[in-house]
Amino acid sequence: MENPLGLALVGCGRISGAHLGAVGQLADRVRLVAAVDRDPAAAQAAARPFGAVASDDLAQVLAMPEVEAVLIASPNDLHAEQAMAAIAAGKHVLVEKPLAPTGEEALALAQAAADKGVVLAAGHTYRQGPAFHYLLDHWQDFGKLMAVEVTSCVRWNGPQAPWWATRKPEEGLILSLFAPHSLDFVQMCMGADDPVRVHAEAARWQTGWQGEDQAMILLAYPGRRMASVHISYNQPSIIDRKVLHFSKGVVEIEDGEFLRFNRELLVEPAPGVVRDARVMGGRDLGHYFRIQMEEFVAAARGRPHRSVSGFDAARTIALIDRILADARRNGADAIDPPPPPELALDITAQVKADAFSDRREG
């Protein structure tokens, strides 16, 4: 029997609750040793149920010998620096997407982890559901892949974290925060190949942020394979649909849980997992985080696993860099009529008026 993997959580905001839920379900395999946040109260709230140490000092926690691995769930712009510090300390690292702001920085992290002999995994959580595992395990049954379509639309009526509102258009909003889920899936399907051409159209429909909140992406891959991605923060009815066109037929994955091949249902969730997939909160996502943590523990222990490697994540971020560059050429506001300049610039006031009780990206 192995001892549970000693884990430190870095960043105790909104998304950390899902990760802590997974830790709680896997007490025989992973143990929370410490929780780190620049807000001591947030660190204490995360640590207390596990009897863990609460700290606002990452260096102090990285020096703890019982910390074998680090889960980074802090705001995006801190990921690369904190991951590099954890790698330098000889810790295995699981990072909420994205690993880094650019593909070049993400690749440097992946190489540093390889040189240090530690695991660097990316938190592309939605790759870890039963439907996606079935797809990969039965890939040869479907024939030759020709095309992939992804549609992923939700409704965020304003920023989910204050820093969403202050991101500059050139940094990207939905293309940086939401597109990685869809693009990770496309890259997974296309294997080791990166696209030879990309085209992106982007638009902003809401005034609560500066970046784009809707985009369509067209990708051309070697072998004349194609992919299209449509993402939106503007749809009141959630859409999560993936369609793969193979030589023997069509695979459809609906709501991340139901997999059909030529309309025959092959994978479905346990009762209660999907209550109403068209509304926010209508799906139980806990099993994705649990499976992701199981895979990360397996990777850290040197066993076969399905964790998304740092090198794979770096490829996806490099692709996003290309897409952002094309979107900057083609994107524009779709707000009609355009907001007065003083309203468009008064982001801070709008964020303070936001009704969300917990808007920090964890």
Side-chain angles (χ1 to χ4, degrees):
M1 292 291 292
E2 294 175 334
N3 291 324
L5 183 73
L7 182 73
L9 169 67
V10 180
C12 303
R14 182 172 63 94
I15 199 64
S16 67
H19 291 290
L20 290 173
V23 172
Q25 293 180 61
L26 299 171
D28 60 330
R29 276 168 275 184
V30 61
R31 176 175 69 93
L32 188 70
V33 174
V36 184
D37 198 283
R38 54 193 172 193
D39 177 357
Q44 186 60 245
R48 188 181 301 111
F50 296 89
V53 172
S55 176
D56 61 358
D57 187 339
L58 176 58
Q60 181 184 61
V61 168
L62 291 178
M64 297 172 63
E66 59 267 46
V67 171
E68 302 171 80
V70 176
L71 166 60
I72 296 176
S74 54
N76 288 10
D77 60 357
L78 300 176
H79 288 184
E81 178 184 351
Q82 292 174 339
M84 190 62 83
I87 291 168
K91 313 298 183 183
H92 304 296
V93 189
L94 171 61
V95 188
E96 262 290 336
K97 57 85 186 167
L99 288 184
T102 68
E104 184 178 1
E105 292 171 274
L107 184 59
L109 284 173
Q111 190 59 57
D115 293 343
K116 194 72 173 179
V118 298
V119 170
L120 174 63
H124 286 286
T125 313
Y126 296 117
R127 198 192 273 204
Q128 301 297 353
F132 303 102
H133 288 185
Y134 183 95
L135 172 68
L136 293 178
D137 290 343
H138 295 81
W139 189 266
Q140 300 303 319
D141 298 344
F142 308 128
K144 185 176 181 178
L145 179 67
M146 296 180 287
V148 179
E149 304 171 66
V150 178
T151 303
S152 189
C153 303
V154 299
R155 172 67 178 182
W156 290 131
N157 189 20
Q160 298 303 288
W163 58 269
W164 284 29
T166 57
R167 283 182 71 85
K168 302 299 182 185
E170 59 268 22
E171 297 176 294
L173 185 71
I174 197 170
L175 285 170
S176 294
L177 305 185
F178 199 42
H181 295 301
S182 299
L183 293 169
D184 173 68
F185 177 78
V186 172
Q187 291 283 86
M188 178 187 78
C189 294
M190 297 300 179
D193 291 325
D194 291 317
V196 295
R197 286 182 300 280
V198 304
H199 180 74
E201 296 284 344
R204 182 179 72 136
W205 288 85
Q206 296 188 46
T207 61
W209 36 55
Q210 303 174 58
E212 79 294 332
D213 50 34
Q214 183 143 312
M216 296 195 77
I217 306 163
L218 185 63
L219 306 166
Y221 281 84
R224 303 304 302 173
R225 293 168 297 162
M226 294 169 276
S228 66
V229 174
H230 174 215
I231 49 175
S232 176
Y233 281 161
N234 301 302
Q235 285 297 315
S237 179
I238 293 175
I239 303 172
D240 179 2
R241 182 169 58 244
K242 297 170 177 68
V243 182
L244 298 94
H245 299 264
F246 287 92
S247 58
K248 293 183 180 180
V250 176
V251 172
E252 299 172 271
I253 301 178
E254 194 78 23
D255 303 324
E257 302 290 347
F258 301 90
L259 184 145
R260 294 177 172 84
F261 181 51
N262 292 335
R263 299 192 176 183
E264 178 186 357
L265 183 62
L266 300 178
V267 179
E268 60 183 320
V273 169
V274 178
R275 298 176 297 277
D276 183 354
R278 298 303 185 192
V279 302
M280 197 64 66
R283 288 170 54 192
D284 182 356
L285 303 177
H287 56 301
Y288 286 96
F289 289 89
R290 175 182 53 77
I291 295 170
Q292 178 174 261
M293 185 60 68
E294 288 175 336
E295 299 295 339
F296 177 60
V297 171
R301 296 305 193 200
R303 297 194 297 269
H305 63 91
R306 297 178 188 262
S307 288
V308 181
S309 76
F311 287 105
D312 283 339
R315 287 177 52 225
T316 299
I317 296 171
L319 173 57
I320 293 171
D321 292 342
R322 296 170 62 187
I323 290 168
L324 279 169
D326 199 64
R328 283 194 285 270
R329 289 189 288 269
N330 303 317
D333 275 357
I335 300 165
D336 187 23
E342 63 274 13
L343 179 60
L345 293 173
D346 190 12
I347 299 296
T348 303
Q350 186 154 353
V351 172
K352 289 181 178 177
D354 192 278
F356 291 98
S357 59
D358 183 5
R359 294 160 291 150
R360 298 189 312 140
E361 183 73 7

